[in-house]
Amino acid sequence: MGRQVPIVDYLVLDDGPPHLVAGRCRGCGALYFDRRNGCARCFGTDFERVPLATEGTVRSFTIVHRAAPGVPVPYASAIVGLDGGGLVKANVVHTPADPEHVGLGMRVRLTTFPAGHDREGTEAVAFGFEPA
Amino acid sequence: MDATGTVAPSDATAGDEVWVLGAAMTRFGRYPDQDLIDLGAAAANAALADGGVSMADIDVLGAGNLYEAGSGVGQRLQKQIGQTGIPVYNVANACATGATAIRCVYMAIKAGEADMGLAVGFEKMGKMGLLGAKPPSGEAEAFEPSGRYGSVMSVEGRLGTTLMPGVFAQAGMEYAYENGGVGFEQFAKVAEKNHRNSTLNPLAQYRKEFSLDEIMGAPMMAYPNTVLMCCPTGDGGAAVVLVSGERLRSLSDEQQARAVRIGASVMTSDPWTEGDQVQPDVNTLTRQAASRAYEISGVDPSDLDLVELHDCFATAELIHYDNLGLCAPGEAGKFIEEGGPERDGPTPVNVSGGLISKGHPLGATGVANVYEVTTHLRGEAGDRQIPGARVGLTHVIGLGSACCVHVLEKANA
Ligand SMILES: [Zn+2]
């Protein structure tokens, strides 16, 4: 099996089961997935890296039917509230992308799927959520 | 006022107040034979004529445009309507661009630097399709994490969607999750209303009524928004002339009688919220702008005779009923079901047809909604006039985000 890289650096593939990590502000506890100059809430600059839960609840979703060229449709995009804290946007996968199968308040768990290869054969791995 | 309603606008004596003296807009639509400056000049000259003034009276120009920002649109406009050497503020602030241009002029008058100013919002988009939808890049040579999320490829469609129809769909569905009585049908009813309203507005890009079944059965863009629940792209211009109360007092009785008072002009950006880190939170900054506008103007939401709000998508309009306090908290679904925002309801919303049907040339939108409310307060809105309208509110959101709210009041209110 070839080399794998996460599609974004807040997805961890090489430390136990795949999971997300966030930068948590030591001042106020706000969570961020991106590289930060400071905390938008309390202006602090001290962050610690914390693992997030892999299960959560769908707080919102849409079924995308018109997308950029090359993006397969339809697909479900959702905002998931992770147990214990953290909001994240991702696709809902492993279930039909329609409002009968994807719903508000639905319980989901993190899963991964291949997102593509580069010319050196490295595979990018993305994360999504499947019905729990 | 007295029983005849003809009392002089006593508020006009207040020197620190700002008034709308002139207002105009082009019909929104597609103008293949006109360039951006043609659209801006048409709106600007019409607003000046409407106010009974000329460029010689104007002390400051606010020019709002998004797609040609950086090209000196205000100066290019001046070359066609009058180069008088006045300061020009070229502004770009997403879909709040036009309202931001108004605020540049408003602040200049408030600061005492200008007695009268012109704000123009203009945009030429043509038929652009799905905004922000980039074609896929080819296969990477070697994956290299880049940007603040360390991504190795585009995440659009792989980690959810960040394009407008989906973002606003998710904003609406989050409201549905947190509050009962909201679903596909309630969102669709917003579009049904706005399309119906547009049939009365000769300045609307589209003027066609659709049944609820037609709206819900139209091609889906991003559930629950079908194509008939999304605003079109288009071209257009809108302009307003603002004047200080002191200067207004020196003008004719007719100019004073038609002037509309700006009771509040408020702008906000999004404060930190947890949800704002996932996608722009269009609620909190709207709530903050609205509450400040109500506080400054002393107007209560129940006083509003009409509201023009930012219905870029049907899902957006519904949640703004709640954000602007037009309905009881959590009851936006009930509000649309009971006809609250209809023309004959307690608070008519988007009687122009809204962005969904009137159109949304980005930079023009925040000026066009001030034109719309001004026209009703003057009693000059023709077939679509809300009878006896005295107080109105305008709202725009530029995603990312910027929110502007204006409260407008009839001169002798
Ligand atoms: Zn903090």
Side-chain angles (χ1 to χ4, degrees):
Chain A
M1 188 168 131
R3 206 170 81 89
Q4 291 186 325
V5 294
I7 187 168
V8 286
D9 63 13
Y10 58 92
L11 169 64
V12 176
L13 300 173
D14 58 3
D15 185 16
H19 62 280
L20 305 180
V21 291
R24 182 166 65 196
C25 173
R26 287 188 199 265
C28 73
L31 297 171
Y32 300 99
F33 288 117
D34 57 339
R35 179 174 66 77
R36 305 295 302 185
N37 298 75
C39 175
R41 185 193 207 180
C42 77
F43 330 135
T45 55
D46 194 10
F47 296 90
E48 60 189 334
R49 195 173 144 101
V50 294
L52 301 180
T54 55
E55 295 204 1
T57 302
V58 170
R59 293 183 51 81
S60 181
F61 73 92
T62 182
I63 311 293
V64 177
H65 288 258
R66 280 276 308 279
V71 174
V73 290
Y75 71 91
S77 168
I79 297 172
V80 174
L82 298 173
D83 297 348
L87 285 175
V88 65
K89 190 184 274 188
N91 291 3
V92 178
V93 298
H94 300 157
T95 192
D98 61 52
E100 286 71 50
H101 292 85
V102 179
L104 298 172
M106 147 184 201
R107 293 288 299 165
V108 291
R109 69 173 156 253
L110 189 116
T111 183
T112 59
F113 61 90
H117 290 85
D118 67 13
R119 291 197 181 140
E120 295 174 354
T122 300
E123 182 181 77
V125 176
F127 67 92
F129 289 87
E130 62 185 6
Chain B
M1 66 177 237
D2 69 12
T4 64
T6 55
V7 161
S10 57
D11 283 342
T13 57
D16 63 344
E17 293 195 319
V18 181
W19 298 71
V20 180
L21 178 67
M25 66 178 279
T26 69
R27 183 178 178 182
F28 286 172
R30 309 215 192 272
Y31 292 91
D33 301 329
Q34 294 192 43
D35 67 16
L36 174 70
I37 305 303
D38 289 321
L39 297 166
N45 286 329
L48 290 165
D50 180 66
V53 294
S54 81
M55 278 305 286
D57 299 297
I58 298 297
D59 303 318
V60 60
L61 173 63
N65 170 264
L66 215 50
Y67 278 92
E68 296 183 32
S71 74
V73 289
Q75 288 84 348
R76 289 166 59 203
L77 177 64
Q78 283 181 302
K79 288 191 165 66
Q80 306 304 324
I81 64 172
Q83 287 178 263
T84 55
I86 59 172
V88 174
Y89 295 92
N90 292 306
V91 298
N93 210 3
C95 302
T97 290
T100 304
I102 290 179
R103 279 193 48 76
C104 287
V105 173
Y106 176 88
M107 290 189 293
I109 294 173
K110 273 277 188 192
E113 285 205 11
D115 293 327
M116 196 183 292
L118 173 67
V120 185
F122 44 148
E123 203 74 64
K124 187 166 167 70
M125 302 171 77
K127 242 177 137 69
M128 297 183 70
L130 191 60
L131 295 188
K134 298 190 194 80
S137 49
E139 193 176 59
E141 196 61 46
F143 286 138
E144 194 62 50
S146 69
R148 285 184 174 246
Y149 294 91
S151 50
V152 300
M153 59 170 60
S154 165
V155 300
E156 177 61 32
R158 295 186 171 102
L159 301 182
T161 182
T162 59
L163 299 184
M164 300 288 167
V167 165
F168 282 97
Q170 287 168 101
M173 291 299 281
E174 186 160 42
Y175 186 86
Y177 175 65
E178 290 171 346
N179 304 279
V182 175
F184 186 15
E185 188 170 325
Q186 286 68 43
F187 292 124
K189 283 183 174 174
V190 169
E192 183 189 21
K193 167 182 71 71
N194 291 355
H195 284 296
R196 184 169 55 241
N197 286 346
S198 73
T199 63
L200 300 174
N201 185 359
L203 299 170
Q205 182 164 350
Y206 296 116
R207 303 187 64 194
K208 190 169 186 295
E209 192 168 349
F210 296 93
S211 70
L212 193 61
D213 283 349
E214 286 175 308
I215 288 165
M216 294 178 75
M220 189 60 75
M221 297 289 287
Y223 177 90
N225 286 322
T226 68
V227 69
L228 290 175
M229 297 161 70
C230 303
C231 67
T233 60
D235 313 331
V240 290
V241 175
L242 304 189
V243 65
S244 68
E246 192 179 341
R247 179 71 194 279
L248 177 61
R249 210 164 21 132
S250 73
L251 300 177
S252 73
D253 288 350
E254 194 206 340
Q255 284 167 308
Q256 292 190 35
R258 289 180 73 244
V260 164
R261 194 168 78 93
I262 299 179
S265 172
V266 174
M267 180 171 172
T268 54
S269 62
D270 22 35
W272 181 94
T273 60
E274 191 182 13
D276 191 54
Q277 312 310 311
V278 183
Q279 68 167 30
D281 167 13
V282 299
N283 302 314
T284 311
L285 82 167
T286 296
R287 287 170 177 269
Q288 294 189 351
S291 68
R292 271 168 58 193
Y294 293 136
E295 188 184 324
I296 291 166
S297 64
V299 165
D300 186 84
S302 64
D303 298 330
L304 297 170
D305 297 312
L306 76 159
V307 171
E308 289 285 305
L309 64 75
H310 205 72
D311 61 321
C312 46
F313 298 90
T315 47
E317 175 164 324
L318 189 120
I319 63 180
H320 291 319
Y321 297 152
D322 201 331
N323 292 330
L324 295 173
L326 308 185
C327 63
E331 294 192 355
K334 188 175 166 210
F335 187 64
I336 184 80
E337 283 290 349
E338 293 179 349
E342 297 285 350
R343 286 183 52 84
D344 58 359
T347 312
V349 175
N350 287 332
V351 297
S352 67
L355 280 57
I356 286 176
S357 203
K358 180 177 70 174
H360 184 25
L362 309 183
T365 293
V367 184
N369 62 15
V370 170
Y371 163 81
E372 180 68 16
V373 172
T374 296
T375 303
H376 284 268
L377 300 186
R378 288 168 160 178
E380 297 173 359
D383 291 342
R384 68 186 187 286
Q385 176 70 41
I386 295 298
R390 308 191 68 79
V391 186
L393 179 144
T394 68
H395 159 262
V396 284
I397 279 211
L399 203 64
S401 302
C403 175
C404 289
V405 168
H406 284 94
V407 172
L408 301 169
E409 300 170 74
K410 190 174 171 70
N412 50 1

